[in-house]
Amino acid sequence: MSDPTLLQRVSKALPWLLLVLAIVAPFALSAYDLNLLARFMAMAILALGIVLIWGHGGILSLGQGVFFGIGGYAIAMHMKMADLPEGELPDFMLWSGQESLPFWWAPFASPTFAIAAILFVPVLVGSLFAWAVFHRRVGGTYFALITQALALAFATLIISRQDVTGGFNGLTDFYGIFGVGLSSPGVPAALYWLTLALLVASYCGVRLLLASRFGMLLRAARDGENRIRFLGYNPTPFKVVAFAIAAMLAGIAGALFTLHAGVVSPALIGVVPSIEMVVWVAIGGRYSLAGAIVGALLVNIARDAVSSAFPELWLYLMGLLFILVVTLLPNGLAGLVASKRA
């Protein structure tokens, strides 16, 4: 049998081990592999939000791709505007016969507005959506289905408005941000360190939140919503705030991913990607922040390796892996540890 004390020590050391590996990575990996790692670290930020709402709030969202997409499209729109000569339209608008720039595109020429949109538009959309649903005490499977429908509607909207969103192809061909070329010496490495810093900050922020009174009441609402209502607490605001924070983390993740990948499209934000995001966390451990990071990294590394060689097998492999983990390790890889740690 495994030594519980050893497992506890491994659990405590895991975040530090991940941080050390991330710090060493730029000196050990090629530019291509480092870019892939940075993309997966961005996705891990989103996974932290899913731990917050699903693991500790009991809120299963199958629509986090919506908020990921909002962040990704916000930074992509800014980069498309920044690269434009004055008075011209983005290339995809010209190809689609668009004659003038939509009014809601113009503010994205400002980097301040773009950053504000990445941070606050997901929070606003997430808050309004969560309040409308939780206020009517909708939860469980019904909530998951509603979020899935939201992801489908958002992806469909993006595809159908090719003249202003780029359609199925999305937005790509970015050359610089904030006046600096994306391929300039030192910029890819700087973006990597920025992603690592935001991942660490997100981890620490969510960890502190879960250790606070807010986290305790969120878990209480998960385990017995009617009980805390009886004790005089309204669980709706706690669930709304948690969902809004998860939406913000997804928006940040989407913006960082777009910077590293150089593209954002409906293929990254629809129903299937949103379900995959939950699978990362289920495999890593929905109660564990470090487990969610490990799950996001491992699944995406495996996806890149397998899908490159056998593209048609990846979805089947992921489904099989999900079934095995849920069956044998219902708490994910982090469930190997004797006590759950957030």
Side-chain angles (χ1 to χ4, degrees):
M1 296 180 64
S2 300
D3 182 1
T5 303
L6 177 60
L7 291 175
Q8 293 282 355
R9 291 175 180 173
V10 171
S11 176
K12 291 180 179 179
L14 181 57
W16 294 103
L17 176 61
L18 292 175
L19 179 59
V20 170
L21 292 175
I23 292 174
V24 172
F27 307 101
L29 299 179
S30 66
Y32 175 78
D33 290 333
L34 189 66
N35 179 270
L36 282 181
L37 178 59
R39 298 185 200 183
F40 303 155
M41 285 166 50
M43 293 173 174
I45 296 176
L46 181 147
L48 294 176
I50 296 179
V51 171
L52 174 65
I53 57 175
W54 183 32
H56 293 264
I59 305 165
L60 176 57
S61 172
L62 300 179
Q64 292 305 101
V66 172
F67 309 110
F68 183 87
I70 290 174
Y73 273 90
I75 195 66
M77 290 167 68
H78 169 70
M79 288 191 287
K80 294 297 283 187
M81 293 292 292
D83 292 337
L84 282 180
E86 188 174 353
E88 293 192 13
L89 297 178
D91 48 11
F92 70 90
M93 290 188 184
L94 294 174
W95 301 334
S96 300
Q98 183 76 12
E99 296 182 354
S100 60
L101 187 72
F103 73 91
W104 48 274
W105 263 79
F108 284 94
S110 166
T112 303
F113 183 89
I115 293 174
I118 293 167
L119 295 175
F120 300 120
V121 172
V123 171
L124 178 61
V125 174
S127 299
L128 293 176
F129 172 78
W131 179 262
V133 176
F134 294 138
H135 188 64
R136 299 182 66 86
R137 302 192 183 182
V138 175
T141 304
Y142 296 104
F143 180 82
L145 291 175
I146 292 173
T147 57
Q148 193 173 50
L150 182 67
L152 177 61
F154 184 63
T156 302
L157 176 64
I158 295 295
I159 294 172
S160 64
R161 293 305 310 273
Q162 181 171 343
D163 55 335
V164 293
T165 65
F168 185 81
N169 295 322
L171 301 179
T172 187
D173 293 331
F174 316 125
Y175 302 104
I177 182 171
F178 306 151
V180 180
L182 291 176
S183 59
S184 300
V187 172
L191 289 176
Y192 173 86
W193 290 115
L194 173 63
T195 303
L196 176 58
L198 289 174
L199 176 58
V200 172
S202 300
Y203 174 87
C204 294
V206 175
R207 187 178 179 87
L208 289 173
L209 186 65
L210 291 175
S212 68
R213 187 166 176 269
F214 175 90
M216 179 185 68
L217 290 171
L218 184 64
R219 288 186 291 273
R222 174 198 66 189
D223 296 334
E225 189 169 321
N226 290 332
R227 291 183 181 181
I228 70 167
R229 289 185 187 276
F230 179 77
L231 294 174
Y233 293 99
N234 181 4
T236 299
F238 297 98
K239 295 165 73 173
V240 170
V241 170
F243 194 83
I245 292 173
M248 181 178 68
L249 292 175
I252 294 172
L256 291 171
F257 179 89
T258 301
L259 285 172
H260 293 295
V263 63
V264 60
S265 72
L268 299 168
I269 65 177
V271 173
V272 173
S274 295
I275 295 175
E276 288 183 358
M277 294 166 186
V278 174
V279 173
W280 308 338
V281 177
I283 291 174
R286 62 182 173 131
Y287 300 105
S288 170
L289 296 177
I293 294 174
V294 171
L297 294 177
L298 288 181
V299 173
N300 281 289
I301 290 172
R303 175 179 183 172
D304 179 71
V306 174
S307 61
S308 297
F310 308 100
E312 67 282 356
L313 293 182
W314 168 245
L315 289 178
Y316 296 103
L317 179 61
M318 186 177 67
L320 177 61
L321 181 62
F322 178 67
I323 292 171
L324 291 175
V325 169
V326 170
T327 303
L328 302 177
L329 297 171
N331 294 326
L333 297 177
L336 293 173
V337 181
S339 62
K340 304 181 186 73
R341 292 185 177 271

